[in-house]
Amino acid sequence: MTTPRDLRVSHAERAHIAALLDRHHTDGRLDGAELAERLARVTTSVTRADLNRVIADLPGAADAVPTRELLELSNTAGDLRRSGEWLVPPRVVVRSRFGNARLDMRRARFVTGDVLVESDLTVGNLDIRLPRGATVDLTGVRTRFGTVRDKLGASERPGVPHVVVVGGAWIGNVTVR
């Protein structure tokens, strides 16, 4: 059985660790040669465990590459929101009976380059805002009374991140911008 630490890493995860190393260099914990050596190891890292070993001796670095696989957001009435700097795991589940859900991912950190968003809304809208370069797949989204809107437009190749939305809303809209 594969553990989360054995999962292969994405370009986004490598970039996150590189940014952490740069911050530690700026703070004086690493000299230029150490920074260069560790950045070289980051670029050749294959698994999350490989990346975590690069920064294991630095403060606040315990499992710097997150291993959370699922975020579940649910309520009965009212709105669900995520915005600002938050961690987007590979799978996000949004459930609401009466209310809207808004996932603003423009400043979020992505655990992987591919994200699955499962929508289960009875009455309400789902609004997803993605960062530049992101792409979306809405082919698995359905609404009974509402519309599905892709305001990003079609892309020839999946971007980073690539968000796949499935499910939908019984009465409501699903919009990605």
Side-chain angles (χ1 to χ4, degrees), residues 67-81:
T67 58
R68 183 177 193 175
E69 298 298 316
L70 169 67
L71 172 63
E72 291 186 77
L73 305 170
S74 65
N75 68 4
T76 302
D79 293 341
L80 296 168
R81 296 179 190 269

PDB file of all heavy atoms in Angstrom, residues 67-81:
ATOM      1  N   THR A  67       0.436  16.139   3.443  1.00  0.00           N
ATOM      2  CA  THR A  67      -0.008  14.811   3.047  1.00  0.00           C
ATOM      3  C   THR A  67      -1.523  14.656   3.143  1.00  0.00           C
ATOM      4  O   THR A  67      -2.026  13.574   2.936  1.00  0.00           O
ATOM      5  CB  THR A  67       0.676  13.736   3.922  1.00  0.00           C
ATOM      6  OG1 THR A  67       0.375  13.997   5.286  1.00  0.00           O
ATOM      7  CG2 THR A  67       2.170  13.727   3.699  1.00  0.00           C
ATOM      8  N   ARG A  68      -2.219  15.727   3.451  1.00  0.00           N
ATOM      9  CA  ARG A  68      -3.672  15.660   3.525  1.00  0.00           C
ATOM     10  C   ARG A  68      -4.230  15.393   2.133  1.00  0.00           C
ATOM     11  O   ARG A  68      -3.874  16.043   1.164  1.00  0.00           O
ATOM     12  CB  ARG A  68      -4.213  16.981   4.057  1.00  0.00           C
ATOM     13  CG  ARG A  68      -5.694  16.986   4.235  1.00  0.00           C
ATOM     14  CD  ARG A  68      -6.141  18.296   4.829  1.00  0.00           C
ATOM     15  NE  ARG A  68      -7.510  18.164   5.261  1.00  0.00           N
ATOM     16  CZ  ARG A  68      -8.160  19.086   5.900  1.00  0.00           C
ATOM     17  NH1 ARG A  68      -7.564  20.207   6.200  1.00  0.00           N
ATOM     18  NH2 ARG A  68      -9.401  18.901   6.257  1.00  0.00           N
ATOM     19  N   GLU A  69      -5.119  14.443   2.024  1.00  0.00           N
ATOM     20  CA  GLU A  69      -5.640  14.027   0.733  1.00  0.00           C
ATOM     21  C   GLU A  69      -7.046  14.544   0.454  1.00  0.00           C
ATOM     22  O   GLU A  69      -7.473  14.558  -0.691  1.00  0.00           O
ATOM     23  CB  GLU A  69      -5.646  12.503   0.644  1.00  0.00           C
ATOM     24  CG  GLU A  69      -4.275  11.878   0.752  1.00  0.00           C
ATOM     25  CD  GLU A  69      -3.347  12.295  -0.375  1.00  0.00           C
ATOM     26  OE1 GLU A  69      -3.784  12.315  -1.530  1.00  0.00           O
ATOM     27  OE2 GLU A  69      -2.190  12.616  -0.085  1.00  0.00           O
ATOM     28  N   LEU A  70      -7.796  14.941   1.495  1.00  0.00           N
ATOM     29  CA  LEU A  70      -9.204  15.270   1.331  1.00  0.00           C
ATOM     30  C   LEU A  70      -9.588  16.441   2.228  1.00  0.00           C
ATOM     31  O   LEU A  70      -9.200  16.503   3.390  1.00  0.00           O
ATOM     32  CB  LEU A  70     -10.063  14.053   1.691  1.00  0.00           C
ATOM     33  CG  LEU A  70     -11.568  14.245   1.831  1.00  0.00           C
ATOM     34  CD1 LEU A  70     -12.200  14.586   0.492  1.00  0.00           C
ATOM     35  CD2 LEU A  70     -12.194  13.005   2.430  1.00  0.00           C
ATOM     36  N   LEU A  71     -10.370  17.369   1.678  1.00  0.00           N
ATOM     37  CA  LEU A  71     -10.988  18.441   2.448  1.00  0.00           C
ATOM     38  C   LEU A  71     -12.481  18.340   2.211  1.00  0.00           C
ATOM     39  O   LEU A  71     -12.938  18.378   1.060  1.00  0.00           O
ATOM     40  CB  LEU A  71     -10.476  19.810   1.985  1.00  0.00           C
ATOM     41  CG  LEU A  71     -11.198  21.025   2.583  1.00  0.00           C
ATOM     42  CD1 LEU A  71     -11.011  21.085   4.095  1.00  0.00           C
ATOM     43  CD2 LEU A  71     -10.696  22.298   1.919  1.00  0.00           C
ATOM     44  N   GLU A  72     -13.255  18.167   3.295  1.00  0.00           N
ATOM     45  CA  GLU A  72     -14.706  18.095   3.189  1.00  0.00           C
ATOM     46  C   GLU A  72     -15.316  19.349   3.796  1.00  0.00           C
ATOM     47  O   GLU A  72     -15.029  19.690   4.938  1.00  0.00           O
ATOM     48  CB  GLU A  72     -15.240  16.866   3.918  1.00  0.00           C
ATOM     49  CG  GLU A  72     -14.869  15.568   3.246  1.00  0.00           C
ATOM     50  CD  GLU A  72     -15.543  14.380   3.902  1.00  0.00           C
ATOM     51  OE1 GLU A  72     -16.745  14.166   3.658  1.00  0.00           O
ATOM     52  OE2 GLU A  72     -14.857  13.683   4.655  1.00  0.00           O
ATOM     53  N   LEU A  73     -16.140  20.021   3.009  1.00  0.00           N
ATOM     54  CA  LEU A  73     -16.854  21.208   3.463  1.00  0.00           C
ATOM     55  C   LEU A  73     -18.341  20.893   3.375  1.00  0.00           C
ATOM     56  O   LEU A  73     -18.835  20.526   2.306  1.00  0.00           O
ATOM     57  CB  LEU A  73     -16.530  22.408   2.570  1.00  0.00           C
ATOM     58  CG  LEU A  73     -15.052  22.753   2.416  1.00  0.00           C
ATOM     59  CD1 LEU A  73     -14.867  23.804   1.329  1.00  0.00           C
ATOM     60  CD2 LEU A  73     -14.492  23.234   3.735  1.00  0.00           C
ATOM     61  N   SER A  74     -19.061  21.012   4.495  1.00  0.00           N
ATOM     62  CA  SER A  74     -20.489  20.692   4.435  1.00  0.00           C
ATOM     63  C   SER A  74     -21.266  21.522   5.441  1.00  0.00           C
ATOM     64  O   SER A  74     -20.737  21.945   6.471  1.00  0.00           O
ATOM     65  CB  SER A  74     -20.723  19.203   4.687  1.00  0.00           C
ATOM     66  OG  SER A  74     -20.342  18.866   5.990  1.00  0.00           O
ATOM     67  N   ASN A  75     -22.516  21.777   5.094  1.00  0.00           N
ATOM     68  CA  ASN A  75     -23.457  22.428   5.996  1.00  0.00           C
ATOM     69  C   ASN A  75     -24.871  22.149   5.517  1.00  0.00           C
ATOM     70  O   ASN A  75     -25.081  21.597   4.444  1.00  0.00           O
ATOM     71  CB  ASN A  75     -23.181  23.924   6.120  1.00  0.00           C
ATOM     72  CG  ASN A  75     -23.452  24.700   4.851  1.00  0.00           C
ATOM     73  OD1 ASN A  75     -23.919  24.148   3.864  1.00  0.00           O
ATOM     74  ND2 ASN A  75     -23.149  25.971   4.860  1.00  0.00           N
ATOM     75  N   THR A  76     -25.828  22.552   6.332  1.00  0.00           N
ATOM     76  CA  THR A  76     -27.223  22.378   5.968  1.00  0.00           C
ATOM     77  C   THR A  76     -27.780  23.662   5.363  1.00  0.00           C
ATOM     78  O   THR A  76     -28.484  23.627   4.368  1.00  0.00           O
ATOM     79  CB  THR A  76     -28.063  21.981   7.201  1.00  0.00           C
ATOM     80  OG1 THR A  76     -27.505  20.776   7.727  1.00  0.00           O
ATOM     81  CG2 THR A  76     -29.507  21.752   6.845  1.00  0.00           C
ATOM     82  N   ALA A  77     -27.458  24.807   5.960  1.00  0.00           N
ATOM     83  CA  ALA A  77     -27.930  26.094   5.464  1.00  0.00           C
ATOM     84  C   ALA A  77     -26.817  27.124   5.653  1.00  0.00           C
ATOM     85  O   ALA A  77     -26.030  27.037   6.583  1.00  0.00           O
ATOM     86  CB  ALA A  77     -29.180  26.530   6.210  1.00  0.00           C
ATOM     87  N   GLY A  78     -26.759  28.080   4.740  1.00  0.00           N
ATOM     88  CA  GLY A  78     -25.720  29.100   4.817  1.00  0.00           C
ATOM     89  C   GLY A  78     -24.659  28.853   3.763  1.00  0.00           C
ATOM     90  O   GLY A  78     -24.705  27.878   3.017  1.00  0.00           O
ATOM     91  N   ASP A  79     -23.699  29.757   3.714  1.00  0.00           N
ATOM     92  CA  ASP A  79     -22.678  29.702   2.679  1.00  0.00           C
ATOM     93  C   ASP A  79     -21.392  29.052   3.177  1.00  0.00           C
ATOM     94  O   ASP A  79     -21.033  29.176   4.348  1.00  0.00           O
ATOM     95  CB  ASP A  79     -22.360  31.106   2.169  1.00  0.00           C
ATOM     96  CG  ASP A  79     -23.531  31.719   1.418  1.00  0.00           C
ATOM     97  OD1 ASP A  79     -24.422  30.966   0.993  1.00  0.00           O
ATOM     98  OD2 ASP A  79     -23.547  32.948   1.260  1.00  0.00           O
ATOM     99  N   LEU A  80     -20.718  28.357   2.265  1.00  0.00           N
ATOM    100  CA  LEU A  80     -19.396  27.783   2.519  1.00  0.00           C
ATOM    101  C   LEU A  80     -18.395  28.606   1.733  1.00  0.00           C
ATOM    102  O   LEU A  80     -18.613  28.891   0.554  1.00  0.00           O
ATOM    103  CB  LEU A  80     -19.345  26.329   2.032  1.00  0.00           C
ATOM    104  CG  LEU A  80     -20.251  25.336   2.734  1.00  0.00           C
ATOM    105  CD1 LEU A  80     -20.297  24.026   1.959  1.00  0.00           C
ATOM    106  CD2 LEU A  80     -19.752  25.092   4.143  1.00  0.00           C
ATOM    107  N   ARG A  81     -17.280  28.981   2.367  1.00  0.00           N
ATOM    108  CA  ARG A  81     -16.276  29.788   1.673  1.00  0.00           C
ATOM    109  C   ARG A  81     -14.873  29.358   2.072  1.00  0.00           C
ATOM    110  O   ARG A  81     -14.613  29.063   3.229  1.00  0.00           O
ATOM    111  CB  ARG A  81     -16.411  31.261   2.041  1.00  0.00           C
ATOM    112  CG  ARG A  81     -17.690  31.906   1.620  1.00  0.00           C
ATOM    113  CD  ARG A  81     -17.700  33.374   2.075  1.00  0.00           C
ATOM    114  NE  ARG A  81     -19.002  33.964   1.901  1.00  0.00           N
ATOM    115  CZ  ARG A  81     -19.386  34.592   0.805  1.00  0.00           C
ATOM    116  NH1 ARG A  81     -18.552  34.730  -0.186  1.00  0.00           N
ATOM    117  NH2 ARG A  81     -20.592  35.106   0.719  1.00  0.00           N
TER     118      ARG A  81
END
